Amino acid sequence: MVGTFGYCAPEQMLGLVTPASDLYSAGATLLFLLSGRAPATMPQSRLKINFRGIVTIENARLEALVGRLLEPAAEDRFQTAAEAIRALTAPG
């Protein structure tokens, strides 16, 4: 297993890797860029990083994107980068 705690998806700890695992890492990196704090230093509950209340993300669409990217269960995350980009850029 290769990865940095807080940045690698929970399934990576079991040796399972999918594109959704990379998207988790992208979400963790975004969270670091927005907060200046490593994701592993933030409170967690059931493997979910509880960043709301610690990090203020003024753009609701971006906050929802980060939240979904950081879902502990791979099936609850975006499955492709294109899907994540569509969620961020869709009109409305």
Side-chain angles (χ1 to χ4, degrees), residues 23-47:
L23 292 172
Y24 182 96
S25 297
T29 301
L30 277 172
L31 187 57
F32 173 77
L33 292 171
L34 291 164
S35 69
R37 290 181 57 182
T41 67
M42 295 186 184
Q44 295 183 21
S45 176
R46 297 180 164 236
L47 301 177

Side-chain angles (χ1 to χ4, degrees), residues 7-21:
Y7 291 89
C8 61
E11 66 271 12
Q12 282 185 264
M13 299 297 183
L14 302 172
L16 305 171
V17 180
T18 69
S21 306

Side-chain angles (χ1 to χ4, degrees), residues 11-86:
E11 66 271 12
Q12 282 185 264
M13 299 297 183
L14 302 172
L16 305 171
V17 180
T18 69
S21 306
D22 289 337
L23 292 172
Y24 182 96
S25 297
T29 301
L30 277 172
L31 187 57
F32 173 77
L33 292 171
L34 291 164
S35 69
R37 290 181 57 182
T41 67
M42 295 186 184
Q44 295 183 21
S45 176
R46 297 180 164 236
L47 301 177
K48 185 172 181 81
I49 299 170
N50 298 321
F51 67 90
R52 291 173 178 94
I54 294 179
V55 180
T56 302
I57 303 173
E58 306 230 352
N59 183 298
R61 202 176 275 191
L62 179 59
E63 181 182 26
L65 177 92
V66 171
R68 187 158 172 205
L69 288 171
L70 292 173
E71 283 294 334
E75 61 269 14
D76 293 335
R77 283 181 231 134
F78 297 106
Q79 298 304 299
T80 66
E83 185 182 354
I85 290 168
R86 278 193 302 275

